[in-house]
């Protein structure tokens, strides 16, 4: 069984977000639009954020039953994603998300879009 959802939209935020933020602060940022993700407050959504050093990934997931927050740290290395202030989030599919969480490598199209 996977902790990842089978449905819903998935976004990777390309601006650094403090790893100290918990579920309440991340939900407030998502609801207010501070993460630049368009969300109506009802549909299922997963949003990935990274800290400035790219050593921690947080996933906030909201669906009809509630909200959960997962933290992922790699055993070695850092997440190979490009973070830029003012960059818009990237839409990912589940396979790309699994690859990012498993190996710490962003999908090629995401890296090219961020450059």
């Amino acid at each position: 069984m996977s902790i990842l959802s089978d449905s819903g939209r998935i976004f990777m935020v390309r601006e650094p977000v403090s790893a100290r933020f918990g579920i309440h602060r991340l939900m407030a940022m998502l609801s207010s639009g501070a993460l630049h993700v368009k969300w109506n407050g009802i549909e299922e959504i997963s949003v990935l954020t990274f800290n400035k050093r790219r050593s921690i990934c947080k996933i906030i997931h909201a669906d009809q039953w509630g909200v959960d927050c997962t933290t992922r740290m790699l055993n070695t290395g850092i997440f190979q994603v490009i973070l830029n202030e003012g960059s818009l989030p990237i839409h990912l599919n589940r396979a790309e998300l699994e690859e990012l969480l498993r190996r710490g490598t962003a999908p090629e199209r995401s890296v090219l879009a961020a450059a």
Side-chain angles (χ1 to χ4, degrees):
M1 182 176 136
S2 174
I3 62 166
L4 302 176
S5 173
D6 289 334
S7 60
R9 297 184 308 151
I10 303 168
F11 289 96
M12 180 175 77
V13 175
R14 296 191 301 166
E15 292 186 26
V17 176
S18 176
R20 295 182 203 154
F21 292 171
I23 193 168
H24 295 94
R25 185 73 163 278
L26 291 172
M27 271 306 292
M29 292 176 75
L30 177 61
S31 298
S32 70
L35 298 176
H36 306 291
V37 174
K38 300 235 186 259
W39 182 55
N40 64 8
I42 300 169
E43 69 180 333
E44 184 176 0
I45 192 168
S46 295
V47 179
L48 284 77
T49 63
F50 299 89
N51 65 337
K52 196 173 198 175
R53 293 188 328 206
R54 297 175 295 154
S55 59
I56 299 173
C57 172
K58 287 214 172 192
I59 305 169
I60 185 107
H61 172 257
D63 60 19
Q64 63 186 4
W65 296 284
V67 180
D68 56 270
C69 184
T70 305
T71 302
R72 176 81 169 171
M73 294 186 299
L74 300 175
N75 287 333
T76 60
I78 61 172
F79 288 96
Q80 301 299 316
V81 295
I82 298 173
L83 300 177
N84 294 319
E85 293 290 329
S87 296
L88 293 177
I90 296 173
H91 187 274
L92 301 176
N93 62 40
R94 184 176 170 155
E96 292 169 331
L97 174 58
E98 287 176 352
E99 181 72 14
L100 178 61
L101 295 177
R102 184 178 302 118
R103 299 177 193 247
T105 306
E108 289 300 319
R109 68 174 179 84
S110 300
V111 173
L112 292 175

